[in-house]
Amino acid sequence: MTLPRRDYRAVIVGGGVVGLYTAHHLARAGAGPVLVVDRGYLSSGASGRNGGGVRQQWETRATVRLAREAVEAYRRFGRDFGFNIWFRQSGYLFLAETPAELGRLRAVHDLVRSEGLPSEILDPDGVAAHLDGIAPNATIGGTYLGSDGTLFPFPAIWGLYEAVRSAGVDVALGVEAVGVDVANGRVAGVRTSDGPVAAPVVVNAAGGWSGDFSRRAGLEVPNVATRHEILATEPLKPFLDPMVVRVSDGLYFSQTMRGELVGGLTLPHPPGTSAGMPSSPRFLGAMASALVRLLPRLASVGVLRAWSGFYDDTPDGLPVLGEDPRLPGFVHANGFGGHGFMLAPATSRRVARVVLGEPTDLDPAEFSPARFLGPTPRVAAERLQLG
Ligand SMILES: Cc1cc2nc3c(=O)[nH]c(=O)nc-3n(C[C@H](O)[C@H](O)[C@H](O)COP(=O)(O)OP(=O)(O)OC[C@H]3O[C@@H](n4cnc5c(N)ncnc54)[C@H](O)[C@@H]3O)c2cc1C
């Protein structure tokens, strides 16, 4: 593709949910010409490979607030973008097997309730009321929040893509950002596979490849890409409302409106993107045992397909949002781990303000890239990296 122009107010690297939502907020703010480049196709990154879970149960207050704002945005998505993303607020059910896990969930519950969200603590009978067919003694209790839910990622990406293009944003698919031009100590443009582009700001929304792109700009960052596998079963008669998440092994699954169970679990893979995005027999075995241990009647259910994608992990489990103090004009919108879809509407609104030089309510100690640079201790960590 040949880029339609050579100078922009901002270039966004990555056309996933984070890049497109940021472009949307910039267009709404009347930012001027904005370019989104993606070297792949629409939804080729994690935004087209995820479980569609959207939850507000978190260990840090800031994340609860961002997720709550995102839930409101997804509730309005049909009205705002004219696309049905099948957002169903049918709850998230967290399961504990040990008193320590239940204690951890109780702390989350207290925090979430202190934010005005009606989280519930459940005993095993309360869990069974949400999870028909659960094995005896499979849990000692859990938490549930009914306004959490799931959505279908593809129409969300499609809707954002159509919206930003109608608002005048240029979206160049199949175009790679290969480097950053610097003049007078700040960003002056982006070098792409389609030639150079002048811009005072570049937003790194490259998901699992964000660390690679930061390094292309000469910036060392602690982001690590980790591969996560996921599968979909054959369709089953509807029996499950909430997204279910087990604390011990990170098992998560929900039932889509087509009847398939979609889910995964935490299985370590070597860090980095070099192995690509295959799926493995090891995952299929581990996932099958984990599911059947919880719901024995799923033992004979067939798997339709399996795939994988990259989480973009940070040392403290919080995303990196804001301008890099080492290179003015280089703005991070990355490090979302396994939860960027559910945070993107809220974080992107703030990142757009950063691009425009406007203040935000983001606490730099929690979100700024500077938190990894100096000896200053980090103040918060988000460890509920499950489901
Ligand atoms: C298996 C799995 C399950 C998940 N489940 C959930 C869930 O239930 N809920 C949830 O909220 N989140 C979930 N996530 C995480 C979520 O999908 C991601 O956090 C989110 O999609 C990240 O969006 P993004 O736009 O930052 O990145 P991506 O969607 O990965 O987009 C980044 C884009 O950048 C492009 N790119 C990279 N480098 C360059 C370059 N140099 N030049 C040009 N383009 C480049 C890539 O081609 C890619 O399209 C899951 C992720 C996985 C893998």
Side-chain angles (χ1 to χ4, degrees):
M1 148 166 210
T2 302
L3 296 176
R5 55 187 291 159
R6 291 287 159 187
D7 59 320
Y8 286 92
R9 174 71 178 82
V11 175
I12 298 171
V13 178
V17 69
V18 172
L20 291 175
Y21 245 122
T22 304
H24 165 70
H25 286 299
L26 283 171
R28 273 189 59 173
V34 171
L35 171 68
V36 178
V37 291
D38 197 303
R39 66 183 170 198
Y41 53 88
L42 213 55
S43 292
S44 54
S47 298
R49 297 166 173 275
N50 64 83
V54 179
R55 68 165 148 102
Q56 306 150 100
Q57 301 181 68
W58 287 98
E59 275 176 347
T60 51
R61 192 173 294 282
T63 317
V64 176
R65 290 183 178 174
L66 290 170
R68 187 176 189 175
E69 184 180 316
V71 162
E72 289 310 314
Y74 283 134
R75 281 170 61 89
R76 288 193 318 268
F77 198 97
R79 234 174 305 153
D80 291 348
F81 296 95
F83 274 71
N84 179 3
I85 57 170
W86 300 4
F87 183 41
R88 262 191 316 155
Q89 290 182 278
S90 44
Y92 247 73
L93 176 65
F94 277 90
L95 304 179
E97 291 172 290
T98 66
E101 290 169 5
L102 195 55
R104 195 174 160 203
L105 291 180
R106 200 177 285 279
V108 171
H109 161 82
D110 290 344
L111 173 65
V112 168
R113 277 195 88 93
S114 76
E115 284 293 310
L117 291 163
S119 155
E120 297 167 41
I121 290 273
L122 303 176
D123 62 13
D125 287 341
V127 169
H130 290 288
L131 190 51
D132 187 25
I134 185 170
N137 306 317
T139 182
I140 61 165
T143 54
Y144 175 80
L145 179 60
S147 55
D148 291 346
T150 52
L151 55 71
F152 193 35
F154 297 106
I157 294 297
W158 189 7
L160 286 165
Y161 176 67
E162 295 292 352
V164 299
R165 288 199 318 152
S166 329
V169 172
D170 291 330
V171 182
L173 301 176
V175 174
E176 178 163 3
V178 294
V180 172
D181 287 324
V182 177
N184 301 320
R186 60 162 300 126
V187 169
V190 179
R191 271 171 280 126
T192 79
S193 54
D194 193 51
V197 170
V201 179
V202 57
V203 178
N204 181 354
W209 302 272
S210 71
D212 298 344
F213 184 65
S214 290
R215 279 173 216 113
R216 286 181 178 186
L219 301 170
E220 202 42 58
V221 291
N223 299 50
V224 173
T226 52
R227 184 157 66 87
H228 281 254
E229 300 189 51
I230 181 167
L231 60 73
T233 69
E234 62 184 317
L236 306 172
K237 187 174 169 185
F239 73 97
L240 179 65
D241 278 335
M243 172 78 89
V244 180
V245 185
R246 187 162 63 195
V247 174
S248 60
D249 56 0
L251 170 73
Y252 69 91
F253 59 96
S254 66
Q255 187 170 27
T256 70
M257 288 166 85
R258 298 176 307 278
E260 304 161 343
L261 294 182
V262 172
L265 85 173
T266 308
L267 195 66
H269 287 294
T273 54
S274 55
M277 295 184 273
S279 48
S280 68
R282 184 165 69 104
F283 166 70
L284 290 179
M287 183 69 188
S289 330
L291 254 185
V292 171
R293 180 159 78 81
L294 187 64
L295 290 172
R297 71 190 160 95
L298 297 181
S300 60
V301 169
V303 172
L304 275 192
R305 57 189 180 279
W307 65 96
S308 73
F310 293 114
Y311 285 17
D312 179 22
D313 288 326
T314 61
D316 57 10
L318 288 165
V320 188
L321 307 170
E323 189 172 55
D324 198 302
R326 297 166 293 181
L327 181 55
F330 192 95
V331 174
H332 293 270
N334 51 59
F336 286 94
H339 304 95
F341 222 102
M342 66 179 83
L343 297 176
T347 56
S348 302
R349 192 165 71 80
R350 289 157 174 86
V351 167
R353 292 183 66 89
V354 172
V355 170
L356 297 172
E358 294 169 1
T360 75
D361 59 0
L362 292 169
D363 182 346
E366 287 179 298
F367 296 109
S368 164
R371 74 189 190 271
F372 299 120
L373 297 179
T376 323
R378 294 192 289 275
V379 295
E382 180 53 73
R383 301 283 172 220
L384 208 60
Q385 298 294 326
L386 304 162

